Amino acid sequence: MERFEHDQVEEPTEMLRDFFSNHLPFYAQRRDFYAFEETSSLSAAINAGAISIRWVYEALMEQEHSAAWLRQLVWRDFYLYQSIDDENFFSYEKKFDLSALSDRHFDSWRKGQTGIPIIDAASMTELNGWMIV
């Protein structure tokens, strides 16, 4: 665990250390079960540059059971680059007619009460900065 001696912001580094110790060994089996809190909660820190994605990758490569989480990091960057390449990525609401949706629909989504389990689990329950990664 020599990588943890790197000069990084302490909180994200501690979060990564905790994730590697307590969650990474079970990540592949539990990541799709939303009752478990198996994400690293590092997305916001990575996006803000509080912890380097390159450093996270290098530290991850020193861990056992790294493949499943590595795939999620790759998907994270894939979608980042898709947003750069696809002019509609952040404006699909202009491409599709969403007029049938009302504030009631948005409120149900925001509260995680749409009645569709995967949508409810992934709505505000996980969208506070650490979904998947």
Side-chain angles (χ1 to χ4, degrees), residues 14-118:
E14 290 301 317
M15 291 168 62
L16 185 63
R17 181 181 286 132
D18 177 69
F19 177 72
F20 283 169
S21 298
N22 300 313
H23 302 280
L24 187 62
F26 314 105
Y27 184 80
Q29 292 81 25
R30 294 183 179 173
R31 73 179 193 90
D32 291 327
F33 294 97
Y34 301 108
F36 295 108
E37 291 187 21
E38 293 302 317
T39 65
S40 69
S41 305
L42 283 168
S43 290
I46 292 169
N47 290 341
I51 190 168
S52 161
I53 189 64
R54 183 172 295 181
W55 185 78
V56 169
Y57 169 80
E58 290 172 357
L60 178 62
M61 292 298 91
E62 295 177 358
Q63 306 299 312
E64 290 184 46
H65 314 290
S66 63
W69 198 56
L70 175 61
R71 284 191 301 273
Q72 296 307 313
L73 293 178
V74 170
W75 276 112
R76 174 196 167 274
D77 283 353
F78 171 77
Y79 281 107
L80 174 66
Y81 285 103
Q82 288 298 308
S83 71
I84 294 168
D85 268 356
D86 183 352
E87 63 187 44
N88 295 311
F89 194 83
F90 292 110
S91 59
Y92 281 105
E93 71 280 2
K94 295 175 185 169
K95 189 172 183 173
F96 298 100
D97 181 11
L98 304 176
S99 62
L101 300 177
S102 67
D103 289 344
R104 179 181 57 84
H105 293 97
F106 176 77
D107 202 43
S108 294
W109 173 80
R110 183 179 58 81
K111 292 176 181 177
Q113 298 174 344
T114 66
I116 305 168
I118 188 69

